[in-house]
Amino acid sequence: MSETTRLSLFEAARVVARRDFRAILFSRAFFFFLLGPLFPLVIGALAGGIGGQVQRDVAANLVAVAMSEADTAALQTASDALSDQIGYLPRLVPDASGEPPADILKRKGTNFAAVVTGTLDAPVVVAPEDQIERWRGPVALLAATANGSSPSSFPDIATEPVASSAATSRSERIRTAQAGQLILFLLMMLLAGMVLSNLVEEKANKVIEVLAAAIPMDAVFLGKLFAMLGVSFVGIAVWASFGGVAALLLGNQLPQLPEPALGWPAFIALGIAYFAMGYLLLGALFLTIGGMAATVREVQTLSMPVTMMQLLVFFLAAAAITTPGSPLELTAAIFPLSSPFAMLARAAQSDALWPHALALVWQALCVVLFVSFGALLFKRRVMKSGKAGRAVKGHVGGTKTA
Amino acid sequence: MLTETGFMTRPPADPAAKLAIEARGLVKRFDDTLAVGGVDISVPEGAIYGILGPNGAGKTTTLRMLLGIIDPDVGVRRVFGHDRPHEVAKLIGYLPEERGLYPAMKCDEAIAFLGALRGLPLDEGKARGRDLLERHGLGHAVDRQIRQLSKGMAQTVQLLGTLVHRPKLVVFDEPFSGLDAINQGKLEAMIRELAQSGTTVIFSTHVIHHAERLCDEVAIIAGGRVPYAGSVDAARDRIPAQVRLETKVDTGDWRSALPGDARHDAKAGGNHFWYFPVPDSGIETLLKRLIDGGAGILSLSIERAGLHDAFVEIAGEAAARALAEDNALETGR
């Protein structure tokens, strides 16, 4: 009888997942989800722009020349002649103001790193103490060239490139690992937030009691989690398509990441698997919170510690990147919430496959535990009583019990 | 069958009928609040069963335990013989007190979704949903989103979704709440129709008249406990039938025929009303003594106690007052 009088757990989860998947896919939230990656890109571009500007400002190599007119011209000629061969020469700016060198350095609207005074035979470099050694050699070379005491021709330099050292390769792969972790983290946070608001909305709509009466809470949880996972895969497919088009159009102009130790196909496959596990773990936590909270404010209050914890585990996994095999990295790989991040970083840096199989089994086990515990807690907490019962504490109807 | 109060009732449920629901000693506590303190209920298959009590008495918690939405701390419940109600989810339909549908869904989709939760294939659910909407005067709203409906229409859609998979047991939590008189009448008719087709119907209410008009059996719940569970008739029979006598005068030899504790009520028109239990000597003897004593009888009737009187007798004045207040609030809404 039981086979025909109820839906199985997965059938029930499918009913919920199908509804949620369609509802989210055709919602504004999904549109914003698709735009999600644009925000880090824009912020990254802005930050890069500002950073580049800052770097340019910091690395300014303007040097004022406060010498006689003839010496200044000779120095400029020497600079022009040498600048093609020597990259670290200063850009010279004649200054005939007659002001003391210290005042020239402080003058507003300029950005001089040093001032050269004196004569070509005895030049004087005026600059802050920590900068002065930087300009001693270049100014000496320019002065020597200007007064003819330096060689005027330079031999051609042959180049002989070598393969990068082991240290360089590892250091480059860390960039891939970091990029992978960051993308994983952003995606997971975005999705977990969406699944939480989805559940809160459901409680606000009061549909949850209908669901709870018809199917087990585990099925509601699974349905919601996997619907969001499906939505995220649609999103990833859309982004991948746009990425592919961008790659075809822009080719080598796109920033390149070093190839991970396992190769790109395996790294991407593992990235998707770790994303799925990481999201399911975090999503289960957020769903549990959503189940316990009655209002949006309560959700925000309760989800704050989890968000903070998620940041901490992200930092833990990020810190462990540089020390593969260390106790820190092993801890990050074992702790369920940081495990997907740590293992993705490992996929970028190490070519061993078996740890990933082990980690995925462990994470899947944790997902089952998290979902079951969340559903249990939800069932216990969410359906407390009818309309009037909520207000009366310590009473049965009108009879005090404690 | 027409009762003394004019209410239509169904023939009493077969006592040998199988039980749709059986609950023994259900207890549920939320933190330091005892919501339900020991509930025993037996609902025969095919019966209309009412759970009657004021708001906060534990009706919703009891229903949620019966349906497996929450588990009891103590006690057992069986639905169609199963300890775990979800095992027979396809046979059950449930309309919660706090109605809820997805606002973006169309009416037929909403009904089909509710059916799918109970194992009905989506396509079939949609087809049945369209048919049900048509039959209940909502054919024009099939393609409308729930958010575009009035509250009453949305409530009807959810009700139809509760029934779309043709359940054997239907549980309504305060189904009349928020409905106008016309829709209350329609719902009463629907409940009777369901019962006539063999479906067991359980509903909770704080409106005695609904229970009295519809139910074969009731559980009176107050303070999280069930002081009475059984047939409506048996509940009313707990209070002896009363004689209601109307006379022209209030004095005379005939007065000695009345018991000493007879309640007297003088009306503005000059007539007098007397209420007292049917005497042991029988109504004929009483009648003879009144006539012989020159009472000037205008009317005499034997009145059977209503469910309200039974509720007061069983649950106490405080619970009855709470019930009356809930009714007043409901009416004022």
Side-chain angles (χ1 to χ4, degrees), chain A residues 80-359:
Chain A
D80 293 344
L82 292 176
S83 59
D84 288 342
Q85 283 85 19
I86 301 169
Y88 61 85
L89 287 179
R91 279 173 56 209
L92 301 179
V93 178
D95 189 292
S97 64
E99 291 178 51
D103 292 347
I104 295 172
L105 282 174
K106 288 178 190 167
R107 192 189 297 155
K108 282 185 180 174
T110 62
N111 191 24
F112 294 123
V115 178
V116 182
T117 59
T119 63
L120 291 179
D121 293 328
V124 177
V125 175
V126 181
E129 197 174 345
D130 60 338
Q131 292 282 318
I132 208 152
E133 285 306 314
R134 183 182 165 198
W135 301 116
R136 182 197 291 271
V139 169
L141 179 62
L142 287 174
T145 305
N147 67 14
S149 60
S150 171
S152 54
S153 64
F154 292 85
D156 288 335
I157 306 295
T159 59
E160 191 177 333
V162 295
S164 64
S165 67
T168 313
S169 175
R170 194 178 139 245
S171 146
E172 283 177 346
R173 281 177 178 158
I174 283 177
R175 277 174 52 214
T176 308
Q178 283 171 330
Q181 281 191 343
L182 188 64
I183 291 169
L184 204 62
F185 177 72
L186 289 173
L187 257 180
M188 278 165 50
M189 292 306 284
L190 210 58
L191 278 172
M194 274 172 80
V195 81
L196 182 62
S197 32
N198 181 263
L199 182 66
V200 171
E201 191 186 3
E202 202 135 276
K203 289 178 87 173
N205 291 340
K206 303 186 178 85
V207 181
I208 199 75
E209 189 169 355
V210 177
L211 298 180
I215 55 179
M217 262 304 133
D218 309 49
V220 177
F221 261 64
L222 281 178
K224 295 205 160 298
L225 277 177
F226 281 97
M228 199 59 77
L229 193 62
V231 166
S232 72
F233 285 148
V234 173
I236 289 170
V238 173
W239 298 328
S241 307
F242 276 104
V245 171
L248 282 174
L249 292 176
L250 300 171
N252 288 337
Q253 292 176 47
L254 286 174
Q256 304 286 316
L257 277 175
E259 184 171 16
L262 278 169
W264 279 113
F267 182 76
I268 289 171
L270 282 171
I272 291 172
Y274 287 129
F275 157 69
M277 291 300 170
Y279 155 72
L280 289 173
L281 286 166
L282 189 63
L285 266 184
F286 272 94
L287 271 181
T288 309
I289 289 166
M292 292 194 298
T295 61
V296 175
R297 180 171 290 189
E298 263 183 54
V299 166
Q300 285 168 341
T301 310
L302 286 169
S303 62
M304 183 79 79
V306 177
T307 308
M308 298 302 289
M309 189 184 68
Q310 190 59 13
L311 270 173
L312 282 178
V313 297
F314 172 67
F315 290 142
L316 168 73
I321 287 181
T322 52
T323 54
S326 67
L328 183 72
E329 199 244 4
L330 284 176
T331 307
I334 290 170
F335 185 63
L337 291 173
S338 57
S339 182
F341 299 114
M343 292 309 295
L344 187 65
R346 193 178 260 249
Q349 294 174 289
S350 157
D351 59 1
L353 264 177
W354 68 265
H356 299 289
L358 199 65

Side-chain angles (χ1 to χ4, degrees), chain A residues 1-7 11-12 15-16 18-20 22 201-202 205-207 209-217 224 379-390 392-399 401-402, chain B residues 29-35 37 55-57 60-61 64 67-71 80 82 86-91 94 96-103 105 109 113-114 116-119 122 158 173 177 223-225 333:
Chain A
M1 190 180 179
S2 62
E3 281 173 14
T4 57
T5 52
R6 71 174 174 90
L7 292 175
E11 283 172 332
V15 173
V16 174
R18 189 170 46 197
R19 204 293 314 179
D20 278 16
R22 285 190 57 191
E201 191 186 3
E202 202 135 276
N205 291 340
K206 303 186 178 85
V207 181
E209 189 169 355
V210 177
L211 298 180
I215 55 179
M217 262 304 133
K224 295 205 160 298
K379 196 172 171 176
R380 281 193 182 163
R381 300 283 306 174
V382 78
M383 299 292 173
K384 275 199 165 181
S385 72
K387 250 184 199 168
R390 284 185 198 112
V392 188
K393 200 169 184 183
H395 293 70
V396 176
T399 313
T401 60
Chain B
R29 187 181 283 278
F30 297 114
D31 302 325
D32 59 343
T33 304
L34 184 65
N55 284 334
T60 297
T61 303
R64 284 175 178 171
L67 290 164
I69 298 173
I70 51 174
D71 289 323
F80 294 120
H82 286 263
H86 278 127
E87 291 293 324
V88 285
K90 284 186 183 177
L91 308 180
Y94 173 52
E97 180 184 10
E98 294 189 326
R99 325 275 193 257
L101 293 168
Y102 293 109
M105 270 189 170
E109 289 173 346
F113 173 71
L114 294 176
L117 287 172
R118 303 284 182 175
L122 267 183
Q158 186 160 7
D173 192 1
S177 171
R225 291 187 170 79
R333 239 179 237 166

